[in-house]
Amino acid sequence: MPKFVLLLRDAGRFDPNMSPAEMQAIVQRYIAWRAKVQQNGRAITGHKLHDKQGRVLNGAGGAMKITDGPYAEAREVMGGLFVIEASSYDEVVELTRDCPHLDFGSIEIREVQPT
Amino acid sequence: MTTSDPIALVDHLFRKQAGQMIATLTRTLGSRHLALAEDAVQDALVTAMQQWPFRGVPDNPEAWLFQVARNRALDRLRHGKMAADKEPAIKRELAAIESPSDAPMLRGELPPVEDDQLGLLFLTCHPSLAPDARVALALKLVGGFSVGEIARAYLSQESAIAQRLVRAKRALRDEQISFGMPDPADLPARLDSVLDALYLMFNEGYAATSGDQMIRDDVAAEAIRLARMIAMHPAITAPRAFALVALMLLHAARFPARVDSEGTLFLLREQDRGKWDQRLIAEGMRALDRASAGDRITTFHLEAGIAACHAAAPSWEATDWTQIVELYDELLALTHSPVVAMNRAVAVSRVEGALSGLAALDAIDNLAALDRYPLLPAIQAELWREAGDADRAIACYRAALGLARSGPEQRWLTSRLSLLV
């Protein structure tokens, strides 16, 4: 079964003063979506990425450039990645269409090339 | 955790855990570290929000949250210790909070949360704070509500609530009020301070009929939960606490009949009594029984008694109005409140007729205090209509419309007026 990596980025739209109930509502939406993926018979695993800035390395032209990124300013509260096993891009896109993360940012889907 | 993830979290898990964790950390660290406990708990909840979507919900979410909150508190204490001085007291706190026996990871090992919550409730409802400050602080810290939610529940500005909270916390710190149950000698006065705040917490949310209904129902439910916790605690045994529980439950039983899905308001007289929550009425009646154990009659007893008369009545007409007038007489003697006098006048009109009710309204001491209160002209309008004086009724409905604060109130008055013009 092909594997797909979903890279979740957020645009820093989270309110830092969210209430406990509002935070729970957000968690609830994600876990409901995970459960739906599983109910479709698809395995899903995930990792949260640290919300401190990452580094982007660029070696083009011989001189290494290191920048903070990919976003220089916004704190990526919900940045992370999922791995989903599915039959095709079409299926993953269909499964991801109602992912709650799309209210907060973008999702990049890449198929893992089998060895 | 790939195939058997839970589909839903327990209702209000975050909100409940926020209050419990702040309470337990404040007991461990002392009330002067209240702000630290609050920040650590907020951190823990944010961490859960960030991690659970990706990793799945841990097997024991409560223990997971508590562990993270405890570690965050520890980080903050260590950091604060470096910045400030090396107080031996802080070292002892660190030792206490770090000891393995204090690191609960199994559900059964979680701290005795009810006692901690009561300890925090007595702190946040200390008599040195104004009643509205107690309400806001208890909702924020014990109840796990945010500033925005409290503001929505009471139709206030967020900045006003935030400022009230800052002042209240500063007052607790300046006066070095400690966490926990009061000494037995102080208990009666401290208990009154808590019960008055819970009454206000319930009533202010219950009274409003515009805006965010869901958050107000949550606030009323929280007031009931805390009042129950106080009433049932073995060290408290106060009949007046049961009276407060009874009055809250008997009012809450009518919530489902107050407003329909279109936001139309139904006064007690027009409510579909089939929608009243009989389970809450039964529990309220049992609480009222237990409230009668003492020999002191409080305003809570009298208000619960009035609510019980309504709850037991098959209809508005078949209500024991004579009993209600008697209860209002006693309540008025205790409170001298013009609002109580106004409600008493309605009961008088049911026993002696509309004109007697109108006379009772005119006879209210300090009637001017009700000048901005739309219910007064609305009641006068109803009574004039009953008495057959349509002109006076119309004038009173118009006066009430000019004072109405919410959409449902305005719609109700407009529909009553349209019956006459």
Side-chain angles (χ1 to χ4, degrees), chain A:
Chain A
M1 179 76 69
K3 276 186 182 166
F4 295 84
V5 176
L6 280 63
L7 263 174
L8 283 68
R9 300 202 168 93
D10 82 60
R13 280 187 223 134
F14 282 87
D15 171 7
N17 296 315
M18 240 184 293
S19 73
E22 287 160 347
M23 289 193 270
Q24 173 163 348
I26 288 174
V27 174
Q28 181 58 57
R29 293 180 63 203
Y30 279 89
I31 64 173
W33 175 76
R34 283 175 59 112
K36 183 209 73 173
V37 172
Q38 290 165 348
Q39 279 156 7
N40 278 273
R42 299 311 186 202
I44 177 168
T45 55
H47 295 281
K48 174 74 182 80
L49 296 177
H50 210 293
D51 57 15
K52 284 183 192 144
Q53 276 168 10
R55 303 286 181 276
V56 175
L57 274 52
N58 200 325
M64 170 81 81
K65 263 172 58 184
I66 304 176
T67 50
D68 290 341
Y71 300 105
E73 270 134 49
R75 176 176 172 227
E76 266 199 283
V77 177
M78 298 301 282
L81 59 92
F82 286 114
V83 178
I84 296 182
E85 289 181 20
S87 58
S88 67
Y89 263 116
D90 284 351
E91 189 193 358
V92 185
V93 168
E94 216 35 60
L95 285 172
T96 310
R97 204 175 276 283
D98 60 352
C99 180
H101 188 81
L102 294 169
D103 285 351
F104 308 111
S106 67
I107 301 178
E108 177 184 344
I109 305 176
R110 300 292 298 271
E111 183 174 359
V112 178
Q113 185 163 354
T115 47

